[in-house]
Amino acid sequence: MDKSKSKKSKTFKSKPKASGKKSVQYETSAEDKFGSSHKGRRHRFSISHKYVNPFPDNNKTSTDKDQMVQEFTINVGQLSESKVKHHVNNWSKRKKWLHSDDKPGKIGSKTKNTRKQNSTEWRKDKKNKEYQISRKLEDPFPGDAPVDPKKLEKYRRTDTDELTEARMLSGKPEMRLTKAKTDYAVELSARSDFLLPDNSGGIEADEGEDTADLKQYDIINAVDITSASKSFDLKLPLFGPYHMNYSRNGRYLLLGGAKGHVAAIDWQTKKLMCEMNVMERTHDVKWLHIETMFAVAQKEWTYIYDNQGIELHCLKALNKPLQLEFLPYHFLLATGSSEGFLSYLDVSVGKLVTSTRTGYNRLDVMCQNPSNAVIHFGHAGGTVTLWSPNVKKPLAKLLCHHMGVTSVAVDNSGNYMATSGMDRQLMLWDLRNYKCLHKYRIQSGAGHLSFSQSGHLAASMGSVVQVYSDAYRQKIKSPYLIHRLDSCISGLQYCNYEDVLGVGHSNGFSSLLIPGAGEANFDGFEANPYQTKKQRRQAEVKMLLEKVQPEMITLDNTALSKVDTVTMGRDIEERNKLRYLEEKKISYTPKYRMKGKSSGLKRENRKQGVKNRVIKDDIKEILKEKRREKREKTLQNQRGPKHVLDRFKRNKE
Amino acid sequence: MKIKCLSRNPDDFLRETKRDIHKVPRNYDPKLHPFEAPREYVRALNAAKLERVFAKPFLGSLDGHRDSVSVIRKHPTSLSLLLSGAYDGEVRVWNITKRNCVKSVQAHDGLVNGVCGHPNGEYIFSVGADKQIKQWNITVEGDIQDQPKSTILGRSVFQDIDHHGKDNFYATCGAGVNIWDEERTEPIRYFTWGVDSIHHVKFNPVETNILGAAASDRSILLYDMRGSTPLRKVILKLRSNAISWNPMEAFIFTVANEDYNCYTFDMRKLSIPLNVHRDHVAAVMDLDYSPTGKEFVTAGYDHCLRIFKLDQGHSREVYHTKRMHRVHTVCWSLDDKYIMSGSEEMNIRLWKARAWEKLGTLKSRESTALQYNDKLKNKFGNHPQVRRILKHRHVSKMIFHNTREIRKIREAAKKREQNRMENSKIGTVQYTSERESHVIGEKE
């Protein structure tokens, strides 16, 4: 155990940069024993060439500063061997002098003063080579300790690099400063990384061993007693199959039996919070933003209960729900209904945000992208669609499988999606370019998929759970762990901040130990498993203050902190267009009319009238042209070769 | 095979006693903090709203003067003392902390034109319409004797007085600029240049021998106390009312002009101002720099104070009350926290320099939160929603309508200028930038 821990802990060993100067450095460090402090040493050097000649028998009396510099440069190891030898002799002499009693420090007070003055002057002149070199000699590991580039990468945000690309005249220094500051912050975070208290778990297989052979029994026997207690089975054969949901901090578990049994448990202490039967079929259960409230998708409507089991709300706006998703930062409860509606309800104010008719039938395969709050649906036609509350059409459609999609899951970074279909394929997708990364054939279509915080993927096939570690980086050869249950699986979720995978099935619930699945170090302000009541209340207020509006749900969630070049470009284009729309020149001289109708003003008015008419006609012409262009474009699109995905288009014209 | 599972001891994450603070372990991994940009944006929006909620700049008024306040000046050594002079010849010393008048003396017949303190804070000077310069002893508490320590009777009315930043010299203006030694009753220097009716003089606080003056022939003059002739002058389109030196950058000064604008000049190049600050809708009467040298406050004839940033053309803040009339004089306290203004309706008002700032000592958590909010406002300040909230200021009806009117006038003038350029032979009508257009000429 301990050994594995020490191996896992990635403490970065700082190595001295200047390894070539090793020998010299040793020498100086030996000398360091005698020279009390940096300051003191510097004094002595400065005196040596001013007041006392430390090398009286040397032919080259080194009273000159430059001479000293040269010697030191030799010391750093840049000159030929013979000179180095000569220099080493000098060093030994100097050491002797340092030991001897007639140190210049013992000269009277007056000289002390002058010496001080001299040394400060010398130090002030930072460009002084001698000074620099002496510093180098004093510090065996100059500069800051190096930082592991991997850690730097971990803390670096992708959008900060764009700063360098910005080409602008004004504000460039500020941009540069901001960049420097961000880099510094990243460096500090990377440096503070080793202060994190815990290391993630895992299994280390010896040669010839396969982790997939491990049974839960083996894992329980190998780990400590508190971890072992996290593996348990709840036998609930009466009201299954069970859906389940862990709270965001991983502390609480919600179970919903299809036949109406709903229970909330503090699963670590095994304390039951509430248990009831809603006397109706339930389809899904979800915790809301805190563990005092949860939503249950029942036969007809969605209900919200508190942790005592008291019904708080009946949400008739969310009717016939099949799947629930809660977006914690937006306080939105999203439901996919059996009639094909995707509805969002703001639970902080209790109002329906949008309800979209998706155009698909049963929305029973649903998941959210935890990094940008986009909802993913899997459909019977093999497509996966991406939805936000702001757009009435899907943001993206992916044809993932040739047969119906059985499950979808998105990992925590929001970059990868796993889908599985009736065609017995398990596919991994890169959501940044919507391309398939890996494709696996499995025994049967995975009914449920779940990503853990560390990137493990769990898939359920009938009554078997398979766990894949690091599924998207490389092609998996064999599963990480396999677990067989005695009944059909109906719910699957990793517990946050724990090495636990919860499995709901028709005979109850099983909690499995998956070493290395959870994030080892939680952030107390984000999700705290050890939250007290007071902290929870405070956190709720903070969360409500920081509620992100549903309008801000987009595919790219960093868009807000970037410069909107697209709109700006469009604006500029529009403006430029306007400038070039020149007024037509009209040569019109009004006819002469009798009876005072050709006074200056009247003639001018008539002229203006004609002008206006011409302009109006012009505008009409332009609009007509535009309409014609648009029509042609759409016609062209229709005539063109059909795309594979066209068959999934809703509005066929 | 080695297996390790996460296993935490709850005692490591719970506080030991009820009196302890809660333990909050942090992990700054960006993966654990999703929606960074939207959440920061919401925070910035909240910070901007809170700023406006807490923006209550008016702290109180010091009443007691029986006529309009003509001048207020900071005490050079004490933060809590304020000197003021009024149109009835009264000079008062105020304690700002206690908000009371420490002492009042009838210093002059007619209005008090200027007061200033000696840099060591032991005595003050006042000049009035009675052609007299009076020197008064002042105690640490701000008490002054009823009789001046000394009086000098001049030949003409002194319009203003200012003291040298270090030595025992002071300058007066009126007909020309006089430099006085405190020991003598006759000026040691006398500067004249053309028509000399100078109404404002100010010593440079950094380059202490340099002084600037504003004359009624629309010029701004620069002097070196050590020389015998003035250095330079620049003539603007309208006359400048006051001048203030930047306390951090010795060569930069700003003038308050009759044409509703303020102009920041570099002493080394007077032909074009560095910046034109405009927002007032009437003449700017006085101005004073903050000790940081990044902002200055102006007193307007349009019944309001405005705070300008040095590098920005428009004000960041406008202060007004229903009862405040034309503001004659203003100063920014040396701790960068308060602004004092003296106005026509006999009151001296005390304002916060940053309207939303919480006064008093802050707990460290509080101050970090405020700093964080400032940073957020800075980062998201250009988003339309945030900017709208941050920029909104309520102004009086008069200012609101006048601003609109002035904008129209400016636009019309601009259009006229453009038309003139378009309809005349190329090269005959030159484009003049806004900054150039206000300066008539520079003389040496």
Side-chain angles (χ1 to χ4, degrees), chain B residues 24 32 44 49 63 68 73 115 119 152 186 188 195 212 227 233-234 236 238 273 289 313 316 341 345 366 419 433 439:
Chain B
V24 183
L32 294 183
K49 285 175 188 170
D63 57 338
S68 301
R73 287 288 176 267
V115 285
I152 298 167
E186 286 296 317
I188 56 165
V195 184
K233 79 170 164 186
V234 58
L236 304 181
L238 286 181
Y289 262 98
R316 75 153 168 87
S341 69
E345 80 318 323
E366 219 171 355
N419 285 345
S433 72
V439 178

Side-chain angles (χ1 to χ4, degrees), chain A residues 21-32:
Chain A
K21 300 162 197 170
K22 232 176 191 175
S23 61
V24 180
Q25 276 161 359
Y26 285 136
E27 202 170 43
T28 47
S29 59
E31 202 263 349
D32 248 344

Side-chain angles (χ1 to χ4, degrees), chain A residues 1 154-155 157 196 199 201-204 206 209 214 222 224 226-227 230 329-330 370-373 497-499 515 519-526 530 532 535 545-548 552 557 560, chain B residues 1-15 21-43 45-46 365 372 375 379-380 383:
Chain A
M1 270 293 298
K154 177 181 166 188
Y155 288 99
R157 272 73 162 169
L196 293 174
N199 294 318
I203 305 175
E204 219 172 89
D206 297 335
E209 283 179 323
L214 276 179
D224 57 320
T226 38
S227 300
K230 286 171 189 165
Y329 296 102
H330 305 76
S371 82
N372 60 10
Y497 309 109
E498 292 291 347
D499 286 343
E519 167 67 46
N521 303 294
F522 60 88
D523 188 292
F525 285 136
E526 202 71 53
Y530 301 100
T532 60
Q535 278 179 309
L545 278 174
E546 279 170 24
K547 187 180 96 172
V548 183
M552 285 196 253
N557 63 355
L560 259 180
Chain B
M1 207 172 289
K2 288 161 195 156
I3 301 173
K4 193 217 162 188
C5 261
L6 285 179
S7 153
R8 300 190 187 91
N9 184 2
D11 292 341
D12 296 343
F13 302 98
L14 294 171
R15 56 179 179 175
I21 51 164
H22 288 290
K23 284 180 183 170
V24 183
R26 301 302 312 270
N27 184 352
Y28 297 101
D29 188 354
K31 258 195 228 159
L32 294 183
H33 303 272
F35 299 102
E36 198 173 45
R39 284 163 78 190
E40 272 194 344
Y41 173 74
V42 174
R43 282 178 200 162
L45 207 62
N46 289 343
R365 280 176 66 194
Y372 179 61
K375 189 72 206 166
K379 184 175 176 186
F380 290 95
H383 281 253

